[in-house]
Amino acid sequence: ELKVEQNPLFLSMQEGKNYTIYCNYSTTSDRLYWYRQDPGKSLESLFVLLSNGAVKQEGRLMASLDTKARLSTLHITAAVHDLSATYFCAALGRSRDFNNAGNMLTFGGGTRLMVKP
Amino acid sequence: GAVVSQHPSRVICKSGTSVKIECRSLDFQATTMFWYRQFPKQSLMLMATSNEGSKATYEQGVEKDKFLINHASLTLSTLTVTSAHPEDSSFYICSGQGSTGTDTQYFGPGTRLTVL
């Protein structure tokens, strides 16, 4: 069974600082996703990582994937207040029902990021 | 990107009543739809997976007789919470996935259910 762990679960940081969120998963996965969730809202897709060594960047966020270590990271550069949100990683794994064509996502516990002005 | 809508966005009901939540894929055919539940300050937990025209597959601990899922077409899935109780109050999010099985899931905006 695929398990996904994120750390830290809560992160308070000052504007302008850098930090990294870690996402470990327990078994082989086809894809690794990062999402952002604002309070009371649904998920906003940030990145999808498909292969070992994949790196994607959007603004102050950069995501990477190491499939051998089963680790993905989300790096925040020079944080700003607008980045305050909860960030989830999710790994794509096979559905437990093999008659089901869909592959299921398993989510990490989330990292609640608060960037202080 | 593909769009998934949910209706209603927010519902308040009395204990013992049933509530239906609709999930629609607006510009693609969702062969598979997923239903998640999210309690405050927690992660998303998968409740069930449904394929169009088939019975839903429920995750362990989710009562299939309480959470009725119907996926009658490639663009519509419904979740009915039967005889709702306050502990069913949660944020329910659906997602739709295309036909290849490794396609990205597109998430709906969520439905906030409050049971009094």
Side-chain angles (χ1 to χ4, degrees):
Chain A
E1 182 181 344
L2 178 60
K3 293 186 178 180
V4 180
E5 290 187 358
Q6 268 180 257
N7 71 84
L9 297 182
F10 181 76
L11 178 57
S12 178
M13 55 193 298
Q14 294 291 128
E15 278 193 331
K17 298 292 186 182
N18 304 332
Y19 209 82
T20 300
I21 300 170
Y22 297 89
C23 175
N24 290 92
Y25 54 99
S26 60
T27 64
T28 302
S29 174
D30 293 332
R31 295 185 180 191
L32 196 293
Y33 295 84
W34 284 97
Y35 296 94
R36 168 180 172 146
Q37 186 179 36
D38 291 298
K41 304 290 186 182
S42 188
L43 301 181
E44 174 190 350
S45 180
L46 295 175
F47 302 107
V48 53
L49 302 167
L50 304 178
S51 60
N52 187 43
V55 177
K56 290 194 175 179
Q57 182 164 5
E58 181 72 34
R60 301 174 187 275
L61 301 178
M62 183 174 70
S64 66
L65 179 62
D66 180 344
T67 58
K68 293 181 181 178
R70 295 178 186 158
L71 170 69
S72 181
T73 61
L74 180 67
H75 186 73
I76 304 155
T77 302
V80 292
H81 180 66
D82 286 350
L83 289 179
S84 298
T86 299
Y87 293 85
F88 291 97
C89 66
L92 189 71
R94 185 176 298 279
S95 171
R96 284 190 276 278
D97 177 0
F98 292 107
N99 292 321
N100 189 332
N103 285 325
M104 52 187 284
L105 283 176
T106 300
F107 283 83
T111 297
R112 188 175 166 209
L113 173 66
M114 185 178 298
V115 182
K116 298 179 181 178
Chain B
V3 179
V4 173
S5 69
Q6 276 184 247
H7 178 79
S9 59
R10 185 180 295 268
V11 57
I12 301 172
C13 69
K14 292 182 180 180
S15 186
T17 60
S18 294
V19 174
K20 180 185 281 189
I21 302 170
E22 291 186 349
C23 177
R24 293 182 185 272
S25 57
L26 299 184
D27 51 2
F28 71 103
Q29 293 186 327
T31 309
T32 305
M33 284 187 169
F34 301 85
W35 287 94
Y36 297 86
R37 181 169 51 182
Q38 185 181 32
F39 293 110
K41 293 184 170 48
Q42 294 189 23
S43 186
L44 277 74
M45 297 300 296
L46 180 65
M47 299 175 66
T49 304
S50 71
N51 282 337
E52 183 262 339
S54 303
K55 288 185 179 180
T57 301
Y58 290 82
E59 294 301 300
Q60 194 171 5
V62 178
E63 300 174 58
K64 62 180 180 180
D65 294 330
K66 180 170 183 60
F67 298 98
L68 302 179
I69 292 173
N70 184 285
H71 192 164
S73 77
L74 287 171
T75 59
L76 174 64
S77 177
T78 60
L79 167 67
T80 301
V81 183
T82 62
S83 187
H85 288 97
E87 57 266 30
D88 299 322
S89 299
S90 187
F91 194 45
Y92 291 86
I93 304 174
C94 72
S95 71
Q97 184 183 67
S99 60
T100 66
T102 58
D103 281 358
T104 298
Q105 289 186 29
Y106 298 97
F107 287 86
T111 297
R112 172 78 58 194
L113 171 63
T114 303
V115 185
L116 302 176

